[in-house]
Amino acid sequence: MLSQTLATHERHTTQFLLPKEAFDTHVHVFYPKLGPYAAGRAYTPEDAPLRKLLELNRSLSRDANNTTLVLVQPSPYKTDCSVMMHCLRELRDRGMSAFGIAVLDLDITADAELNEMHALGVRGIRLNFQADGKEVDIAHLIAVLKRTVERIRHLPGWVIQLFVPGWTWDLLHDDLRELPVRIIADHLGGMRGASKLPSDLQSTPTSQPGFRSLLSLAKQSIVYVKVSGLYRTSTCSASTFDDLQPVVQALAQEIPDQLIWGSDWPHTGDAHNRVGGSIERKEPFRVIDNRSILHRLHDWMGDDAYWKMMVDNPGRLYLN
């Protein structure tokens, strides 16, 4: 009874900040001094070293040493995960809990390398079918999913992190039910706020294609939905993306046990803005008020769903 009372007190006193033992499940490090970017990358970002990531973490947390970070391999490095691995080693040496999500060429990655990455905290592979803005070839996507599953299914706790447009969940639903690994749906599963929907869907954003299929997969404990990147799915920056409220509240009400949160730091730009740009020019990051977004999410979701998203659900996903 005392422990339950203390937990309830903790939930109310932390309010919108990251509570003790929270997870930030989507962050990147960009630091070419640790390793060069890939020659064929789509853009060159500003520097975002681990030091600045930890500064952000401290600014949002009551106890930074108890906040678990999940480093996601960023696209400018393509399949060279050496910078991410360096940061995982550094965090481990500092006594900080951290995990990683890799991007790999599985045709040239040996099982021994996967096992080494697992030992350092890597717990999955990211498949990105959204960033280049091209149409999604569903047959190809499903083939890549199945190939990836065969390579990682022996690794305990590994997931596939999938970044796809929201409508694709309707076409992926049945195939995903057959996979023996869990899926993380990146950035609200690609669901959009009214500001990015066609006029006939703006009054009912939860009726957009893919939404019910995403909920179905989450209710079957197949998919975790990551609440992150609100600025990627809404243009309402002045109101802290309030057109996403119906979507977030529906997720909190229907699948509170399958939500996780990520800051998406350091907030890279949008791919379609890079057309014709020079690869040598460093692209600035978006200016995002992370604290205000946390306030919004807490207000929309309420104490219990917010706590589950920050602590319980990612703990079950990454620690078990």
Side-chain angles (χ1 to χ4, degrees):
M1 179 66 71
L2 177 59
S3 61
Q4 184 177 3
T5 301
L6 289 174
T8 301
H9 175 71
E10 172 84 356
R11 298 185 194 202
H12 286 283
T13 56
T14 55
Q15 292 185 348
F16 332 103
L17 300 178
L18 301 185
K20 185 178 180 181
E21 299 179 356
F23 284 67
D24 184 345
T25 68
H26 197 111
V27 296
H28 305 292
V29 170
F30 297 98
Y31 203 39
K33 291 182 180 179
L34 292 179
Y37 297 126
R41 65 192 180 277
Y43 69 103
T44 301
E46 294 283 354
D47 289 358
L50 182 61
R51 170 182 56 82
K52 290 189 176 181
L53 170 58
L54 295 178
E55 288 175 3
L56 169 84
N57 187 250
R58 284 191 293 269
S59 74
L60 299 176
S61 306
R62 295 182 68 240
D63 186 345
N65 289 328
N66 285 284
T67 300
T68 299
L69 299 172
V70 181
L71 276 62
V72 177
Q73 172 75 354
S75 61
Y77 290 110
K78 293 202 169 180
T79 59
D80 180 357
C81 295
S82 56
V83 171
M84 183 184 75
M85 300 300 286
H86 176 95
C87 293
L88 288 175
R89 290 189 189 94
E90 183 173 340
L91 290 168
R92 181 191 61 185
D93 293 344
R94 292 183 181 210
M96 299 182 69
S97 179
F99 296 95
I101 299 291
V103 175
L104 297 172
D105 183 346
L106 291 176
D107 290 331
I108 62 173
T109 303
D111 284 344
E113 185 177 349
L114 293 176
N115 293 333
E116 179 184 357
M117 298 179 85
H118 178 82
L120 273 175
V122 175
R123 290 297 181 269
I125 292 181
R126 190 188 199 208
L127 301 178
N128 187 341
F129 288 85
Q130 175 87 340
D132 60 6
K134 297 178 182 177
E135 286 296 317
V136 179
D137 182 335
I138 295 296
H140 173 65
L141 193 164
I142 291 172
V144 172
L145 277 170
K146 292 180 177 179
R147 163 67 173 153
T148 303
V149 166
E150 288 307 309
R151 292 300 311 278
I152 71 171
R153 63 188 304 171
H154 71 286
L155 294 162
W158 276 49
V159 301
I160 295 176
Q161 185 164 301
L162 196 54
F163 189 24
V164 293
W167 57 267
T168 59
W169 299 106
D170 286 337
L171 302 180
L172 294 173
H173 182 273
D174 293 344
D175 288 278
L176 292 182
R177 293 179 63 193
E178 304 300 321
L179 298 182
V181 302
R182 290 169 294 185
I183 304 294
I184 294 175
D186 253 353
H187 303 321
L188 289 172
M191 296 302 146
R192 299 183 176 191
S195 61
K196 282 202 168 185
L197 287 172
S199 58
D200 60 318
L201 291 172
Q202 289 176 1
S203 61
T204 56
T206 57
S207 65
Q208 63 186 287
F211 189 72
R212 301 313 303 181
S213 292
L214 182 63
L215 287 180
S216 172
L217 290 164
K219 289 177 180 179
Q220 297 173 72
S221 300
I222 296 167
V223 168
Y224 282 81
V225 179
K226 185 185 297 170
V227 179
S228 61
L230 272 60
Y231 42 86
R232 301 185 186 279
T233 57
S234 167
T235 61
C236 298
S237 56
S239 62
T240 322
F241 316 108
D242 63 355
D243 62 325
L244 284 168
Q245 181 176 352
V247 172
V248 173
Q249 285 185 327
L251 294 173
Q253 290 165 6
E254 297 207 37
I255 54 167
D257 295 319
Q258 297 298 123
L259 300 179
I260 57 178
W261 170 79
S263 66
D264 196 28
W265 188 90
H267 316 303
T268 58
D270 203 346
H272 71 265
N273 294 326
R274 296 168 187 150
V275 177
S278 170
I279 193 66
E280 302 303 324
R281 181 181 63 84
K282 286 189 175 183
E283 180 179 294
F285 300 120
R286 310 183 204 218
V287 178
I288 299 296
D289 188 342
N290 293 285
R291 184 175 292 267
S292 291
I293 288 176
L294 289 176
H295 276 255
R296 278 289 194 185
L297 293 176
H298 180 270
D299 287 345
W300 294 343
M301 302 175 73
D303 285 339
D304 288 343
Y306 184 84
W307 178 274
K308 287 180 177 182
M309 178 179 71
M310 292 294 182
V311 179
D312 295 341
N313 301 341
R316 184 173 68 252
L317 179 62
Y318 283 102
L319 299 178
N320 295 335

